[in-house]
Amino acid sequence: MGRRKSYNRNELIAKAMTVFREHGFAGASADMLVEKLGVNRYSLYAEFGSKQGLFDAALERYEEEFVGRRFGPLERPDAGLNEIRALLAFYGERGPEAAGGLGCLLCNTAVEFGPLDPSGAGFVQAYFERLFSAFKTALSNAKAGGALRPGADIESEAGFFTSSVIGMFVMLRAKAPEAMLKGASNAAIAHLEWLRV
Amino acid sequence: MGRRKSYNRNELIAKAMTVFREHGFAGASADMLVEKLGVNRYSLYAEFGSKQGLFDAALERYEEEFVGRRFGPLERPDAGLNEIRALLAFYGERGPEAAGGLGCLLCNTAVEFGPLDPSGAGFVQAYFERLFSAFKTALSNAKAGGALRPGADIESEAGFFTSSVIGMFVMLRAKAPEAMLKGASNAAIAHLEWLRV
DNA sequence: TGTTTTTCAGAATGATCGTTTAGTTATATG
DNA sequence: CATATAACTAAACGATCATTCTGAAAAACA
């Protein structure tokens, strides 16, 4: 039995999420990670194998925590239009100071890497599918309960809401003017209310 | 009078746009730029001063050509809902194979740099303002001509359409499933038609 | 033809990159 | 207390980075 670890893996991943969210994968150097995570580089490589390995762990954690927290409510069997509305309102109310220009890590990664998937883990595609599916689930529930306007195309509406929230993530990331963000959320909510019968 | 240039500045910028669009700023090395632009590195630095200078020229060109081409129609004094519809249809019909997973250079840059503006030229903020303003112009024209549903909040709708197209740019960039993209465009168009009287 | 000027081709510079290494330190066990 | 083991510290490694430099080549002019 040798020297005990003076770091906690989960804490490292949590800090890494913030660094990668702010700087991207390419913009976050190993030196920066060492400094901001407060751990020596030997332990970083021992624990995660590589910078890419740490990045993958951060993406996975982000999916579980952040995406799960925000989109989980839409995935519940009893989810409906109210859950969608709460989500849209949440993002619209945040304003440019919220999350300090970080945006969504998975959305940022989608843009940074484009169609490439260096680790082959498919985090970005899974993310898109999850958002799309969450909206479809909630809309389908609303339809089954007779709460959705007849003739509403669930596939289209789900794609629409997915692209709306992704657009909001980009605006949050780049600290776009607040009027744009609030407008985006308000109009999306108005459209949602129109869908409701 | 000495040796003549064997490169054309405008051609270099056009090629640079594609390289930066695909790889981002950080992901495009000087070696890569030299190779793909077909020019020697001395000329590159002589012409643009730095990699950042070339990048800025690419952003400016992109704004003029691509953003101008797509959003220019919305900025015309006679622009209305038809121009918005054509724009949404254009992006929705492209599919994941279009533009080879490139997305929109300015949108990609917004995500890559977040709130930072290394060159201080404000290209990203100007881009957001332009998109927002273009939608506002077209919607205002429609309202003035009595073609817009009474009570429609132009600021909200403009923010909404801005976030929708930005969301589509991210989907195009990351080659998201085609159903999501088509759905996003179709629902946005349906919403636009609902706004029309 | 020689000279001057500009661009090209390739190498070099100093710094940074991701990752590994070697010596030291801290811990548990016998 | 001595030993073995694991983590820490700091440096090093080989490669890449953006930018500059140097000699060669190409062009126009006298």
Side-chain angles (χ1 to χ4, degrees), chain A residues 60-90:
Chain A
E60 188 174 333
R61 171 70 58 86
Y62 191 88
E63 162 91 355
E64 289 164 1
E65 280 194 22
F66 287 74
V67 179
R69 182 180 306 148
R70 300 297 159 218
F71 287 83
L74 277 68
E75 294 167 333
R76 289 207 283 265
D78 60 333
L81 303 188
N82 290 337
E83 281 70 25
I84 296 180
R85 185 188 171 114
L87 180 91
L88 296 171
F90 173 80

PDB file of all heavy atoms in Angstrom, chain A residues 60-90:
ATOM      1  N   GLU A  60     -19.441  12.520 -20.976  1.00  0.00           N
ATOM      2  CA  GLU A  60     -20.362  11.545 -20.407  1.00  0.00           C
ATOM      3  C   GLU A  60     -21.027  12.107 -19.151  1.00  0.00           C
ATOM      4  O   GLU A  60     -22.238  11.985 -18.955  1.00  0.00           O
ATOM      5  CB  GLU A  60     -19.597  10.260 -20.077  1.00  0.00           C
ATOM      6  CG  GLU A  60     -20.492   9.114 -19.671  1.00  0.00           C
ATOM      7  CD  GLU A  60     -19.721   7.806 -19.495  1.00  0.00           C
ATOM      8  OE1 GLU A  60     -18.667   7.650 -20.150  1.00  0.00           O
ATOM      9  OE2 GLU A  60     -20.169   6.967 -18.711  1.00  0.00           O
ATOM     10  N   ARG A  61     -20.199  12.746 -18.315  1.00  0.00           N
ATOM     11  CA  ARG A  61     -20.734  13.338 -17.083  1.00  0.00           C
ATOM     12  C   ARG A  61     -21.734  14.450 -17.420  1.00  0.00           C
ATOM     13  O   ARG A  61     -22.773  14.589 -16.793  1.00  0.00           O
ATOM     14  CB  ARG A  61     -19.613  13.908 -16.237  1.00  0.00           C
ATOM     15  CG  ARG A  61     -20.077  14.728 -15.042  1.00  0.00           C
ATOM     16  CD  ARG A  61     -20.713  13.892 -13.969  1.00  0.00           C
ATOM     17  NE  ARG A  61     -19.778  12.886 -13.521  1.00  0.00           N
ATOM     18  CZ  ARG A  61     -18.871  13.088 -12.594  1.00  0.00           C
ATOM     19  NH1 ARG A  61     -18.793  14.254 -12.001  1.00  0.00           N
ATOM     20  NH2 ARG A  61     -18.056  12.134 -12.245  1.00  0.00           N
ATOM     21  N   TYR A  62     -21.371  15.254 -18.413  1.00  0.00           N
ATOM     22  CA  TYR A  62     -22.227  16.367 -18.819  1.00  0.00           C
ATOM     23  C   TYR A  62     -23.586  15.852 -19.289  1.00  0.00           C
ATOM     24  O   TYR A  62     -24.648  16.386 -18.939  1.00  0.00           O
ATOM     25  CB  TYR A  62     -21.562  17.192 -19.929  1.00  0.00           C
ATOM     26  CG  TYR A  62     -22.291  18.488 -20.195  1.00  0.00           C
ATOM     27  CD1 TYR A  62     -21.987  19.643 -19.475  1.00  0.00           C
ATOM     28  CD2 TYR A  62     -23.288  18.545 -21.152  1.00  0.00           C
ATOM     29  CE1 TYR A  62     -22.678  20.829 -19.704  1.00  0.00           C
ATOM     30  CE2 TYR A  62     -23.989  19.720 -21.386  1.00  0.00           C
ATOM     31  CZ  TYR A  62     -23.670  20.863 -20.660  1.00  0.00           C
ATOM     32  OH  TYR A  62     -24.360  22.022 -20.889  1.00  0.00           O
ATOM     33  N   GLU A  63     -23.534  14.790 -20.082  1.00  0.00           N
ATOM     34  CA  GLU A  63     -24.773  14.179 -20.578  1.00  0.00           C
ATOM     35  C   GLU A  63     -25.630  13.720 -19.406  1.00  0.00           C
ATOM     36  O   GLU A  63     -26.830  13.976 -19.347  1.00  0.00           O
ATOM     37  CB  GLU A  63     -24.393  12.995 -21.482  1.00  0.00           C
ATOM     38  CG  GLU A  63     -25.489  11.992 -21.752  1.00  0.00           C
ATOM     39  CD  GLU A  63     -26.281  12.337 -22.991  1.00  0.00           C
ATOM     40  OE1 GLU A  63     -26.030  13.402 -23.572  1.00  0.00           O
ATOM     41  OE2 GLU A  63     -27.156  11.548 -23.357  1.00  0.00           O
ATOM     42  N   GLU A  64     -25.008  13.064 -18.448  1.00  0.00           N
ATOM     43  CA  GLU A  64     -25.762  12.533 -17.315  1.00  0.00           C
ATOM     44  C   GLU A  64     -26.349  13.654 -16.462  1.00  0.00           C
ATOM     45  O   GLU A  64     -27.526  13.632 -16.108  1.00  0.00           O
ATOM     46  CB  GLU A  64     -24.851  11.666 -16.445  1.00  0.00           C
ATOM     47  CG  GLU A  64     -24.455  10.350 -17.088  1.00  0.00           C
ATOM     48  CD  GLU A  64     -23.258   9.726 -16.380  1.00  0.00           C
ATOM     49  OE1 GLU A  64     -22.788  10.326 -15.387  1.00  0.00           O
ATOM     50  OE2 GLU A  64     -22.818   8.661 -16.832  1.00  0.00           O
ATOM     51  N   GLU A  65     -25.502  14.616 -16.116  1.00  0.00           N
ATOM     52  CA  GLU A  65     -25.939  15.636 -15.164  1.00  0.00           C
ATOM     53  C   GLU A  65     -26.767  16.740 -15.786  1.00  0.00           C
ATOM     54  O   GLU A  65     -27.909  16.980 -15.429  1.00  0.00           O
ATOM     55  CB  GLU A  65     -24.712  16.272 -14.481  1.00  0.00           C
ATOM     56  CG  GLU A  65     -24.158  15.447 -13.383  1.00  0.00           C
ATOM     57  CD  GLU A  65     -23.195  16.253 -12.534  1.00  0.00           C
ATOM     58  OE1 GLU A  65     -23.278  17.500 -12.532  1.00  0.00           O
ATOM     59  OE2 GLU A  65     -22.357  15.631 -11.877  1.00  0.00           O
ATOM     60  N   PHE A  66     -26.162  17.446 -16.717  1.00  0.00           N
ATOM     61  CA  PHE A  66     -26.801  18.635 -17.255  1.00  0.00           C
ATOM     62  C   PHE A  66     -27.936  18.296 -18.206  1.00  0.00           C
ATOM     63  O   PHE A  66     -29.052  18.788 -18.061  1.00  0.00           O
ATOM     64  CB  PHE A  66     -25.768  19.540 -17.943  1.00  0.00           C
ATOM     65  CG  PHE A  66     -24.872  20.251 -16.979  1.00  0.00           C
ATOM     66  CD1 PHE A  66     -23.866  19.576 -16.321  1.00  0.00           C
ATOM     67  CD2 PHE A  66     -25.060  21.593 -16.697  1.00  0.00           C
ATOM     68  CE1 PHE A  66     -23.051  20.215 -15.410  1.00  0.00           C
ATOM     69  CE2 PHE A  66     -24.242  22.251 -15.784  1.00  0.00           C
ATOM     70  CZ  PHE A  66     -23.241  21.557 -15.137  1.00  0.00           C
ATOM     71  N   VAL A  67     -27.640  17.451 -19.188  1.00  0.00           N
ATOM     72  CA  VAL A  67     -28.673  17.091 -20.141  1.00  0.00           C
ATOM     73  C   VAL A  67     -29.773  16.315 -19.418  1.00  0.00           C
ATOM     74  O   VAL A  67     -30.962  16.532 -19.636  1.00  0.00           O
ATOM     75  CB  VAL A  67     -28.081  16.273 -21.311  1.00  0.00           C
ATOM     76  CG1 VAL A  67     -29.173  15.884 -22.294  1.00  0.00           C
ATOM     77  CG2 VAL A  67     -26.987  17.072 -21.996  1.00  0.00           C
ATOM     78  N   GLY A  68     -29.351  15.435 -18.520  1.00  0.00           N
ATOM     79  CA  GLY A  68     -30.323  14.657 -17.758  1.00  0.00           C
ATOM     80  C   GLY A  68     -31.211  15.550 -16.914  1.00  0.00           C
ATOM     81  O   GLY A  68     -32.430  15.336 -16.836  1.00  0.00           O
ATOM     82  N   ARG A  69     -30.612  16.561 -16.306  1.00  0.00           N
ATOM     83  CA  ARG A  69     -31.395  17.435 -15.430  1.00  0.00           C
ATOM     84  C   ARG A  69     -32.414  18.261 -16.221  1.00  0.00           C
ATOM     85  O   ARG A  69     -33.555  18.424 -15.809  1.00  0.00           O
ATOM     86  CB  ARG A  69     -30.464  18.365 -14.678  1.00  0.00           C
ATOM     87  CG  ARG A  69     -31.180  19.285 -13.685  1.00  0.00           C
ATOM     88  CD  ARG A  69     -30.171  20.166 -12.982  1.00  0.00           C
ATOM     89  NE  ARG A  69     -29.113  19.366 -12.354  1.00  0.00           N
ATOM     90  CZ  ARG A  69     -27.855  19.762 -12.201  1.00  0.00           C
ATOM     91  NH1 ARG A  69     -27.476  20.937 -12.642  1.00  0.00           N
ATOM     92  NH2 ARG A  69     -26.967  18.991 -11.611  1.00  0.00           N
ATOM     93  N   ARG A  70     -31.976  18.760 -17.381  1.00  0.00           N
ATOM     94  CA  ARG A  70     -32.867  19.629 -18.137  1.00  0.00           C
ATOM     95  C   ARG A  70     -33.879  18.878 -19.003  1.00  0.00           C
ATOM     96  O   ARG A  70     -35.016  19.290 -19.136  1.00  0.00           O
ATOM     97  CB  ARG A  70     -32.060  20.559 -19.058  1.00  0.00           C
ATOM     98  CG  ARG A  70     -31.098  21.475 -18.323  1.00  0.00           C
ATOM     99  CD  ARG A  70     -31.799  22.439 -17.403  1.00  0.00           C
ATOM    100  NE  ARG A  70     -30.900  22.946 -16.367  1.00  0.00           N
ATOM    101  CZ  ARG A  70     -31.249  23.174 -15.102  1.00  0.00           C
ATOM    102  NH1 ARG A  70     -32.480  22.943 -14.720  1.00  0.00           N
ATOM    103  NH2 ARG A  70     -30.394  23.638 -14.230  1.00  0.00           N
ATOM    104  N   PHE A  71     -33.403  17.766 -19.607  1.00  0.00           N
ATOM    105  CA  PHE A  71     -34.284  17.069 -20.536  1.00  0.00           C
ATOM    106  C   PHE A  71     -34.950  15.836 -19.927  1.00  0.00           C
ATOM    107  O   PHE A  71     -35.876  15.282 -20.503  1.00  0.00           O
ATOM    108  CB  PHE A  71     -33.502  16.715 -21.816  1.00  0.00           C
ATOM    109  CG  PHE A  71     -33.232  17.915 -22.679  1.00  0.00           C
ATOM    110  CD1 PHE A  71     -32.155  18.747 -22.431  1.00  0.00           C
ATOM    111  CD2 PHE A  71     -34.081  18.239 -23.706  1.00  0.00           C
ATOM    112  CE1 PHE A  71     -31.923  19.874 -23.203  1.00  0.00           C
ATOM    113  CE2 PHE A  71     -33.861  19.365 -24.487  1.00  0.00           C
ATOM    114  CZ  PHE A  71     -32.782  20.177 -24.236  1.00  0.00           C
ATOM    115  N   GLY A  72     -34.433  15.421 -18.772  1.00  0.00           N
ATOM    116  CA  GLY A  72     -35.030  14.270 -18.093  1.00  0.00           C
ATOM    117  C   GLY A  72     -36.536  14.427 -17.897  1.00  0.00           C
ATOM    118  O   GLY A  72     -37.305  13.492 -18.167  1.00  0.00           O
ATOM    119  N   PRO A  73     -37.007  15.573 -17.442  1.00  0.00           N
ATOM    120  CA  PRO A  73     -38.441  15.764 -17.248  1.00  0.00           C
ATOM    121  C   PRO A  73     -39.278  15.516 -18.506  1.00  0.00           C
ATOM    122  O   PRO A  73     -40.424  15.057 -18.402  1.00  0.00           O
ATOM    123  CB  PRO A  73     -38.551  17.235 -16.809  1.00  0.00           C
ATOM    124  CG  PRO A  73     -37.243  17.506 -16.144  1.00  0.00           C
ATOM    125  CD  PRO A  73     -36.223  16.713 -16.919  1.00  0.00           C
ATOM    126  N   LEU A  74     -38.717  15.781 -19.664  1.00  0.00           N
ATOM    127  CA  LEU A  74     -39.456  15.541 -20.906  1.00  0.00           C
ATOM    128  C   LEU A  74     -39.516  14.067 -21.254  1.00  0.00           C
ATOM    129  O   LEU A  74     -40.338  13.656 -22.076  1.00  0.00           O
ATOM    130  CB  LEU A  74     -38.793  16.280 -22.075  1.00  0.00           C
ATOM    131  CG  LEU A  74     -39.138  17.759 -22.270  1.00  0.00           C
ATOM    132  CD1 LEU A  74     -38.608  18.619 -21.156  1.00  0.00           C
ATOM    133  CD2 LEU A  74     -38.589  18.243 -23.606  1.00  0.00           C
ATOM    134  N   GLU A  75     -38.607  13.289 -20.646  1.00  0.00           N
ATOM    135  CA  GLU A  75     -38.519  11.874 -20.983  1.00  0.00           C
ATOM    136  C   GLU A  75     -39.433  11.009 -20.125  1.00  0.00           C
ATOM    137  O   GLU A  75     -39.605   9.830 -20.378  1.00  0.00           O
ATOM    138  CB  GLU A  75     -37.066  11.398 -20.826  1.00  0.00           C
ATOM    139  CG  GLU A  75     -36.115  12.056 -21.821  1.00  0.00           C
ATOM    140  CD  GLU A  75     -34.644  11.826 -21.462  1.00  0.00           C
ATOM    141  OE1 GLU A  75     -34.332  11.638 -20.272  1.00  0.00           O
ATOM    142  OE2 GLU A  75     -33.811  11.852 -22.385  1.00  0.00           O
ATOM    143  N   ARG A  76     -40.029  11.613 -19.116  1.00  0.00           N
ATOM    144  CA  ARG A  76     -40.898  10.845 -18.224  1.00  0.00           C
ATOM    145  C   ARG A  76     -42.163  10.442 -18.956  1.00  0.00           C
ATOM    146  O   ARG A  76     -42.633  11.148 -19.852  1.00  0.00           O
ATOM    147  CB  ARG A  76     -41.222  11.680 -16.983  1.00  0.00           C
ATOM    148  CG  ARG A  76     -40.030  11.845 -16.041  1.00  0.00           C
ATOM    149  CD  ARG A  76     -40.509  12.058 -14.630  1.00  0.00           C
ATOM    150  NE  ARG A  76     -40.992  13.430 -14.463  1.00  0.00           N
ATOM    151  CZ  ARG A  76     -40.240  14.429 -13.996  1.00  0.00           C
ATOM    152  NH1 ARG A  76     -38.993  14.218 -13.657  1.00  0.00           N
ATOM    153  NH2 ARG A  76     -40.747  15.639 -13.880  1.00  0.00           N
ATOM    154  N   PRO A  77     -42.749   9.310 -18.581  1.00  0.00           N
ATOM    155  CA  PRO A  77     -43.963   8.832 -19.263  1.00  0.00           C
ATOM    156  C   PRO A  77     -45.113   9.819 -19.188  1.00  0.00           C
ATOM    157  O   PRO A  77     -45.981   9.854 -20.066  1.00  0.00           O
ATOM    158  CB  PRO A  77     -44.313   7.545 -18.505  1.00  0.00           C
ATOM    159  CG  PRO A  77     -43.044   7.135 -17.833  1.00  0.00           C
ATOM    160  CD  PRO A  77     -42.288   8.403 -17.535  1.00  0.00           C
ATOM    161  N   ASP A  78     -45.148  10.624 -18.115  1.00  0.00           N
ATOM    162  CA  ASP A  78     -46.254  11.574 -17.949  1.00  0.00           C
ATOM    163  C   ASP A  78     -45.904  12.975 -18.426  1.00  0.00           C
ATOM    164  O   ASP A  78     -46.641  13.919 -18.149  1.00  0.00           O
ATOM    165  CB  ASP A  78     -46.666  11.633 -16.470  1.00  0.00           C
ATOM    166  CG  ASP A  78     -45.504  12.072 -15.588  1.00  0.00           C
ATOM    167  OD1 ASP A  78     -44.335  11.841 -15.967  1.00  0.00           O
ATOM    168  OD2 ASP A  78     -45.769  12.664 -14.523  1.00  0.00           O
ATOM    169  N   ALA A  79     -44.787  13.117 -19.123  1.00  0.00           N
ATOM    170  CA  ALA A  79     -44.361  14.440 -19.585  1.00  0.00           C
ATOM    171  C   ALA A  79     -45.276  14.945 -20.698  1.00  0.00           C
ATOM    172  O   ALA A  79     -45.779  14.159 -21.496  1.00  0.00           O
ATOM    173  CB  ALA A  79     -42.923  14.384 -20.083  1.00  0.00           C
ATOM    174  N   GLY A  80     -45.442  16.252 -20.733  1.00  0.00           N
ATOM    175  CA  GLY A  80     -46.281  16.859 -21.780  1.00  0.00           C
ATOM    176  C   GLY A  80     -45.817  18.252 -22.096  1.00  0.00           C
ATOM    177  O   GLY A  80     -44.631  18.577 -21.960  1.00  0.00           O
ATOM    178  N   LEU A  81     -46.768  19.093 -22.504  1.00  0.00           N
ATOM    179  CA  LEU A  81     -46.416  20.431 -22.957  1.00  0.00           C
ATOM    180  C   LEU A  81     -45.883  21.312 -21.830  1.00  0.00           C
ATOM    181  O   LEU A  81     -45.098  22.223 -22.067  1.00  0.00           O
ATOM    182  CB  LEU A  81     -47.654  21.092 -23.604  1.00  0.00           C
ATOM    183  CG  LEU A  81     -48.272  20.325 -24.776  1.00  0.00           C
ATOM    184  CD1 LEU A  81     -49.359  21.145 -25.452  1.00  0.00           C
ATOM    185  CD2 LEU A  81     -47.203  19.924 -25.783  1.00  0.00           C
ATOM    186  N   ASN A  82     -46.314  21.029 -20.621  1.00  0.00           N
ATOM    187  CA  ASN A  82     -45.831  21.849 -19.505  1.00  0.00           C
ATOM    188  C   ASN A  82     -44.334  21.687 -19.286  1.00  0.00           C
ATOM    189  O   ASN A  82     -43.646  22.641 -18.915  1.00  0.00           O
ATOM    190  CB  ASN A  82     -46.597  21.506 -18.219  1.00  0.00           C
ATOM    191  CG  ASN A  82     -48.047  21.989 -18.279  1.00  0.00           C
ATOM    192  OD1 ASN A  82     -48.378  22.910 -19.032  1.00  0.00           O
ATOM    193  ND2 ASN A  82     -48.899  21.371 -17.498  1.00  0.00           N
ATOM    194  N   GLU A  83     -43.869  20.453 -19.479  1.00  0.00           N
ATOM    195  CA  GLU A  83     -42.437  20.200 -19.302  1.00  0.00           C
ATOM    196  C   GLU A  83     -41.634  20.926 -20.382  1.00  0.00           C
ATOM    197  O   GLU A  83     -40.569  21.491 -20.117  1.00  0.00           O
ATOM    198  CB  GLU A  83     -42.142  18.700 -19.350  1.00  0.00           C
ATOM    199  CG  GLU A  83     -42.476  17.966 -18.048  1.00  0.00           C
ATOM    200  CD  GLU A  83     -43.971  17.857 -17.786  1.00  0.00           C
ATOM    201  OE1 GLU A  83     -44.759  17.910 -18.771  1.00  0.00           O
ATOM    202  OE2 GLU A  83     -44.371  17.712 -16.612  1.00  0.00           O
ATOM    203  N   ILE A  84     -42.175  20.922 -21.612  1.00  0.00           N
ATOM    204  CA  ILE A  84     -41.488  21.636 -22.698  1.00  0.00           C
ATOM    205  C   ILE A  84     -41.458  23.118 -22.382  1.00  0.00           C
ATOM    206  O   ILE A  84     -40.437  23.803 -22.540  1.00  0.00           O
ATOM    207  CB  ILE A  84     -42.202  21.395 -24.051  1.00  0.00           C
ATOM    208  CG1 ILE A  84     -42.122  19.907 -24.426  1.00  0.00           C
ATOM    209  CG2 ILE A  84     -41.575  22.257 -25.135  1.00  0.00           C
ATOM    210  CD1 ILE A  84     -42.789  19.584 -25.748  1.00  0.00           C
ATOM    211  N   ARG A  85     -42.593  23.622 -21.921  1.00  0.00           N
ATOM    212  CA  ARG A  85     -42.671  25.036 -21.610  1.00  0.00           C
ATOM    213  C   ARG A  85     -41.678  25.441 -20.531  1.00  0.00           C
ATOM    214  O   ARG A  85     -41.024  26.485 -20.610  1.00  0.00           O
ATOM    215  CB  ARG A  85     -44.106  25.365 -21.189  1.00  0.00           C
ATOM    216  CG  ARG A  85     -44.295  26.846 -20.955  1.00  0.00           C
ATOM    217  CD  ARG A  85     -45.655  27.186 -20.338  1.00  0.00           C
ATOM    218  NE  ARG A  85     -45.611  28.601 -19.965  1.00  0.00           N
ATOM    219  CZ  ARG A  85     -46.372  29.540 -20.545  1.00  0.00           C
ATOM    220  NH1 ARG A  85     -47.234  29.203 -21.502  1.00  0.00           N
ATOM    221  NH2 ARG A  85     -46.261  30.800 -20.191  1.00  0.00           N
ATOM    222  N   ALA A  86     -41.586  24.630 -19.507  1.00  0.00           N
ATOM    223  CA  ALA A  86     -40.644  24.934 -18.419  1.00  0.00           C
ATOM    224  C   ALA A  86     -39.204  24.975 -18.930  1.00  0.00           C
ATOM    225  O   ALA A  86     -38.404  25.820 -18.521  1.00  0.00           O
ATOM    226  CB  ALA A  86     -40.788  23.895 -17.306  1.00  0.00           C
ATOM    227  N   LEU A  87     -38.891  24.068 -19.817  1.00  0.00           N
ATOM    228  CA  LEU A  87     -37.537  24.018 -20.378  1.00  0.00           C
ATOM    229  C   LEU A  87     -37.226  25.287 -21.178  1.00  0.00           C
ATOM    230  O   LEU A  87     -36.179  25.912 -21.002  1.00  0.00           O
ATOM    231  CB  LEU A  87     -37.399  22.795 -21.292  1.00  0.00           C
ATOM    232  CG  LEU A  87     -36.044  22.585 -21.952  1.00  0.00           C
ATOM    233  CD1 LEU A  87     -35.158  21.716 -21.076  1.00  0.00           C
ATOM    234  CD2 LEU A  87     -36.228  21.943 -23.316  1.00  0.00           C
ATOM    235  N   LEU A  88     -38.163  25.668 -22.043  1.00  0.00           N
ATOM    236  CA  LEU A  88     -37.960  26.847 -22.879  1.00  0.00           C
ATOM    237  C   LEU A  88     -37.861  28.108 -22.019  1.00  0.00           C
ATOM    238  O   LEU A  88     -37.024  28.984 -22.266  1.00  0.00           O
ATOM    239  CB  LEU A  88     -39.116  26.990 -23.885  1.00  0.00           C
ATOM    240  CG  LEU A  88     -39.257  25.866 -24.912  1.00  0.00           C
ATOM    241  CD1 LEU A  88     -40.552  25.996 -25.696  1.00  0.00           C
ATOM    242  CD2 LEU A  88     -38.058  25.857 -25.860  1.00  0.00           C
ATOM    243  N   ALA A  89     -38.713  28.168 -21.002  1.00  0.00           N
ATOM    244  CA  ALA A  89     -38.689  29.333 -20.119  1.00  0.00           C
ATOM    245  C   ALA A  89     -37.368  29.399 -19.361  1.00  0.00           C
ATOM    246  O   ALA A  89     -36.797  30.470 -19.169  1.00  0.00           O
ATOM    247  CB  ALA A  89     -39.857  29.266 -19.132  1.00  0.00           C
ATOM    248  N   PHE A  90     -36.896  28.236 -18.949  1.00  0.00           N
ATOM    249  CA  PHE A  90     -35.629  28.190 -18.209  1.00  0.00           C
ATOM    250  C   PHE A  90     -34.499  28.803 -19.022  1.00  0.00           C
ATOM    251  O   PHE A  90     -33.744  29.635 -18.536  1.00  0.00           O
ATOM    252  CB  PHE A  90     -35.297  26.740 -17.850  1.00  0.00           C
ATOM    253  CG  PHE A  90     -33.927  26.598 -17.243  1.00  0.00           C
ATOM    254  CD1 PHE A  90     -33.714  26.889 -15.915  1.00  0.00           C
ATOM    255  CD2 PHE A  90     -32.853  26.190 -18.016  1.00  0.00           C
ATOM    256  CE1 PHE A  90     -32.454  26.777 -15.355  1.00  0.00           C
ATOM    257  CE2 PHE A  90     -31.587  26.078 -17.471  1.00  0.00           C
ATOM    258  CZ  PHE A  90     -31.392  26.370 -16.135  1.00  0.00           C
TER     259      PHE A  90
END
